[in-house]
Amino acid sequence: MTLKLGDLAPDFEQDSTEGRIDFHKWAGNSWVVLFSHPKDFTPVCTTELGEASRLKPEFEKRNVKVMGLSVDPLNEHIEWAKDIKETQGTALNFPLLADGDRKVSNLFDMIHPNANDTFTVRSVFVIDPAKKVRLILTYPASTGRNFPEILRVIDSLQLTDGYKVATPVNWKNGEDVIIVPSLKDEAEIKRLFPKGYTTVKPYLRVTPQPNK
Ligand code: BEZ
């Protein structure tokens, strides 16, 4: 069955470059970015794993753990990690699952047979501390992912979990946000958004980001 937003992320045990992973236990109370790669020793994946490692401080700031996946065996992952360190200027600093038996790839529906019946596509899952799937992205093998976008969505999810707001098109952390249309009570709006707000239309009310 295809995973959908709001579903519980499946639990699994699998080998990785950092040992055997018991997924839910490993995730603990963190957010998780789980992302798949078509194959080891491929150029686009090499740059992505380097970039995700370089961004570790940004993920940590947001209480996010990162985990990669490729269907190649562990000994190849270990050799590939040497190339990543050599060419990307950053060592791999998160687990890369060795999903040779396709256990995790199948659980998360990362193999799209009409694109390629063997390799995983470039899937991204953002999972919250309650283990709920909050974002699903799927890229083709030929297109490297945009990590600023992944961080941007995490910022939006973490903000909108805590406040009655949504984030507009192309929003970035620190910019104005939208008060959710279901919030109607004027006194409550004033209480929740003491910095004030602008009514562009009754359903489009803009306020400074409340946690800044
Ligand atoms: C890559 O990661 O470079 C790649 C993988 C599969 C197909 C095309 C490119």
Side-chain angles (χ1 to χ4, degrees), residues 6-134:
D7 288 355
L8 187 69
D11 199 9
F12 59 82
E13 268 192 47
Q14 187 56 289
D15 291 326
S16 85
T17 49
E18 297 190 5
R20 189 87 180 157
I21 298 274
D22 181 342
F23 182 55
H24 282 191
K25 203 163 146 211
W26 174 86
N29 291 320
S30 298
W31 290 69
V32 172
V33 171
L34 172 63
F35 67 126
S36 58
H37 296 274
K39 191 150 181 52
D40 290 10
F41 303 104
T42 48
V44 176
C45 302
T46 302
T47 62
E48 289 184 321
L49 289 168
E51 178 67 355
S53 297
R54 198 182 62 76
L55 287 172
K56 190 173 184 124
E58 292 300 320
F59 287 115
E60 282 180 344
K61 244 192 255 174
R62 294 163 174 84
N63 185 32
V64 178
K65 287 182 175 176
V66 176
M67 179 182 281
L69 174 152
S70 169
V71 293
D72 287 326
L74 189 56
N75 63 314
E76 292 191 12
H77 284 10
I78 290 164
E79 285 308 303
W80 187 27
K82 294 178 191 165
D83 289 358
I84 292 164
K85 183 174 181 191
E86 179 192 327
T87 62
Q88 305 304 304
T90 320
L92 187 67
N93 53 21
F94 53 85
L96 181 59
L97 295 175
D99 198 42
D101 60 5
R102 316 290 200 261
K103 188 203 292 179
V104 182
S105 310
N106 287 329
L107 277 173
F108 284 80
D109 209 17
M110 291 164 164
I111 296 177
H112 295 201
N114 290 326
N116 188 303
D117 58 7
T118 319
F119 302 135
T120 42
V121 289
R122 293 187 199 284
S123 299
V124 183
F125 292 87
V126 173
I127 296 159
D128 71 15
K131 315 288 181 288
K132 293 276 168 64
V133 174
R134 302 294 299 276

Side-chain angles (χ1 to χ4, degrees), residues 92 185-186:
L92 187 67
D185 183 78
E186 193 82 16

Side-chain angles (χ1 to χ4, degrees), residues 132-191:
K132 293 276 168 64
V133 174
R134 302 294 299 276
L135 172 75
I136 302 173
L137 293 169
T138 310
Y139 288 69
S142 52
T143 304
R145 280 160 280 216
N146 183 321
F147 278 85
E149 171 62 2
I150 295 168
L151 289 169
R152 191 190 77 89
V153 181
I154 292 168
D155 285 339
S156 174
L157 287 167
Q158 294 184 345
L159 173 69
T160 58
D161 277 357
Y163 296 88
K164 291 186 174 178
V165 296
T167 57
V169 61
N170 296 337
W171 173 85
K172 287 202 263 337
N173 202 5
E175 294 179 354
D176 288 355
V177 299
I178 290 167
I179 299 170
V180 293
S182 57
L183 190 56
K184 307 276 189 218
D185 183 78
E186 193 82 16
E188 196 185 358
I189 295 175
K190 286 202 168 117
R191 183 178 61 78

